[in-house]
Amino acid sequence: MYTVRKLEAFSATALDSAVRELLAALEAEAQQVSSEAAWKDFRDRWMARKNGILTQVNELWLKAAPGPQKREVGQRVNQLKSKVEQIVEAAQARASGSGTAARLQQERVDVTLPGIRRPLGAEHPVIKTMHEIVQVFRNLGYSIGEGPEIESDYYNFESLNFPPNHPARDTQDTVFIAGQDSKPQRDRLLLRTHTSPVQVRYMEQNPPPIRVVIPGKVHRSDTPDATHYPIFHQVEGLAVDTNITFGDLKGTLDHAMKALFGSAMKTRFFPSFFPFTEPSADVAVTCFVCGGPGCRVCKMSGWIELLGCGMVDPNVFEFVKDKGYDPKKVSGFAFGMGVERVAMAKYGIGDIQLLFSGDVRFLEQFA
Ligand code: DAH
């Protein structure tokens, strides 16, 4: 690092060499200055009133010069001073980028770069499927109903004709809100285990005839595996009018399955049991993997079970009889399907947990 040295002689040659040495150091240091902060240090090192290099030059060269040479040395030092000022100033321009070339360089725009993409959100495959199912029924003129996820035992079980000791009411299967032992059973709150309670809620609010689909989230006390998850979604359907028959139910669901999965899809109804329908049926559709001959996914049957349905049990109408639902005058059908099951069938998803993992690599395939 350069330091100002005392002059042994004050001859023109001695001064020349000292000045050359100083300017070389100045130029070299100026080259290194690449930031505003570095420039400040550089400026202070050379120009600080107290002990800057110029001040030292003043002390060691000018003041030390013997009388006869003072004039000559004074001129040299003045020239040096303006040279230093000039170079320090130029270094600042370069460091702060205020020089035109530096500015241009800094503000350079590469117009061939791709633009900034803002990733768009998309519907989750479960919600997307739920909307698709709902849309099929909207096209048939159905309304949409909704109900609470925290439900009472009355709507979730009692009004749907579940007997008081039905196994679904067990805490093993249903998530109950804690600390309600002092309440009568029908008032106890739980996380609804299906969307069927909204059937009764909807009939309380709307006189017949009705056609309604009810999408929503439901909860069960299940251990997760490839086909079970404690939270899932259902779309419930309910049609009540005079003279609704099982034929209407079959035709409606067969149409809905073809609309959802394609016109090659066949449906098959076979006997089942639900407390709130009589008779009850389960509906299977052509296996989406093998298309019928039988494979591992359909357990060699060629069919995949997709939903439950049936004719509304007259005992359910009894609970809303005073709202115009006299079981002697009206009849209806109901159905309920698991949205995740439909999504898994539609997209060939083998594990329900993928739908709840939030893994974007999985989800973006459906965007
Ligand atoms: N609630 C039933 C379940 O969660 C599904 C169901 C079956 C709904 C038959 C219905 C029905 O409306 O008629 O398993």
Side-chain angles (χ1 to χ4, degrees):
M1 173 91 78
Y2 173 78
T3 51
V4 185
R5 58 183 165 86
K6 278 187 183 156
L7 291 186
E8 314 273 301
F10 292 86
S11 65
T13 6
L15 280 172
D16 274 348
S17 114
V19 166
R20 233 183 295 118
E21 191 194 1
L22 182 145
L23 287 179
L26 176 65
E27 297 279 8
E29 286 180 34
Q31 288 304 317
Q32 301 301 313
V33 173
S34 59
S35 69
E36 192 75 27
W39 174 78
K40 281 190 175 144
D41 291 344
F42 173 68
R43 176 199 58 192
D44 294 346
R45 172 166 150 76
W46 288 86
M47 292 173 55
R49 229 169 267 280
K50 223 180 124 186
N51 224 31
I53 287 176
L54 280 180
T55 305
Q56 291 176 41
V57 164
N58 230 32
E59 296 291 324
L60 297 176
W61 298 359
L62 183 58
K63 284 195 181 162
Q69 266 108 337
K70 274 232 197 291
R71 224 178 99 87
E72 165 79 15
V73 176
Q75 275 179 359
R76 293 290 202 121
V77 168
N78 273 344
Q79 282 169 7
L80 256 186
K81 209 176 141 197
S82 37
K83 186 82 186 161
V84 170
E85 279 167 0
Q86 191 190 322
I87 289 181
V88 167
E89 203 177 315
Q92 180 184 31
R94 213 172 341 100
S96 69
S98 68
T100 314
R103 265 246 313 273
L104 285 175
Q105 181 61 28
Q106 205 171 48
E107 294 174 9
R108 217 172 105 106
V109 175
D110 183 350
V111 294
T112 67
L113 286 175
I116 297 167
R117 268 173 235 262
R118 285 173 195 282
L120 283 184
E123 272 181 328
H124 189 281
V126 169
I127 299 303
K128 184 170 156 169
T129 305
M130 192 155 85
H131 286 160
E132 281 169 15
I133 298 168
V134 166
Q135 191 56 43
V136 167
F137 289 96
R138 282 176 59 117
N139 291 345
L140 294 175
Y142 280 58
S143 306
I144 296 173
E146 282 185 304
E149 276 177 54
I150 297 177
E151 189 52 283
S152 65
D153 181 284
Y154 174 77
Y155 285 111
N156 199 77
F157 293 126
E158 184 180 335
S159 66
L160 292 170
N161 199 35
F162 281 75
N165 53 357
H166 190 280
R169 278 178 145 142
D170 197 289
T171 52
Q172 293 279 310
D173 293 324
T174 298
V175 181
F176 286 87
I177 307 289
Q180 305 185 95
D181 298 345
S182 58
K183 286 187 186 170
Q185 184 173 33
R186 58 161 52 178
D187 294 338
R188 293 185 192 166
L189 297 176
L190 48 84
L191 301 186
R192 68 178 177 194
T193 59
H194 51 179
T195 43
S196 303
V198 191
Q199 288 189 25
V200 179
R201 288 182 174 276
Y202 193 87
M203 287 191 283
E204 285 177 347
Q205 302 294 325
N206 300 275
I210 54 164
R211 312 271 189 278
V212 64
V213 274
I214 301 146
K217 188 185 286 175
V218 304
H219 302 254
R220 286 185 197 173
S221 186
D222 266 335
T223 310
D225 63 25
T227 53
H228 294 85
Y229 202 79
I231 302 171
F232 58 103
H233 298 77
Q234 292 186 328
V235 176
E236 189 84 15
L238 177 65
V240 183
D241 206 332
T242 47
N243 295 318
I244 297 268
T245 69
F246 200 90
D248 298 319
L249 171 59
K250 278 192 83 170
T252 302
L253 288 180
D254 188 68
H255 164 81
M257 293 303 118
K258 287 179 162 64
L260 275 175
F261 294 103
S263 53
M265 202 48 113
K266 289 186 179 140
T267 50
R268 176 184 177 224
F269 291 69
F270 50 98
S272 185
F273 176 80
F274 299 99
F276 40 92
T277 45
E278 182 61 34
S280 305
D282 281 325
V283 181
V285 299
T286 318
C287 175
F288 55 89
V289 175
C290 66
C295 69
R296 251 185 5 188
V297 172
C298 60
K299 300 198 182 93
M300 300 313 292
S301 71
W303 298 96
I304 304 261
E305 242 179 75
L306 227 46
L307 65 136
C309 65
M311 302 306 292
V312 178
D313 193 303
N315 290 343
V316 174
F317 285 139
E318 288 293 339
F319 287 95
V320 283
K321 198 171 177 172
D322 62 339
K323 309 286 182 190
Y325 291 88
D326 183 343
K328 295 206 176 64
K329 297 191 178 131
V330 296
S331 60
F333 67 72
F335 58 86
M337 61 185 98
V339 178
E340 283 78 3
R341 278 211 97 177
V342 173
M344 289 168 77
K346 220 174 142 72
Y347 298 115
I349 299 166
D351 186 348
I352 193 173
Q353 297 188 52
L354 284 167
L355 291 169
F356 296 99
S357 66
D359 187 334
V360 176
R361 292 168 304 176
F362 169 77
L363 294 174
E364 66 190 1
Q365 300 176 79
F366 305 92

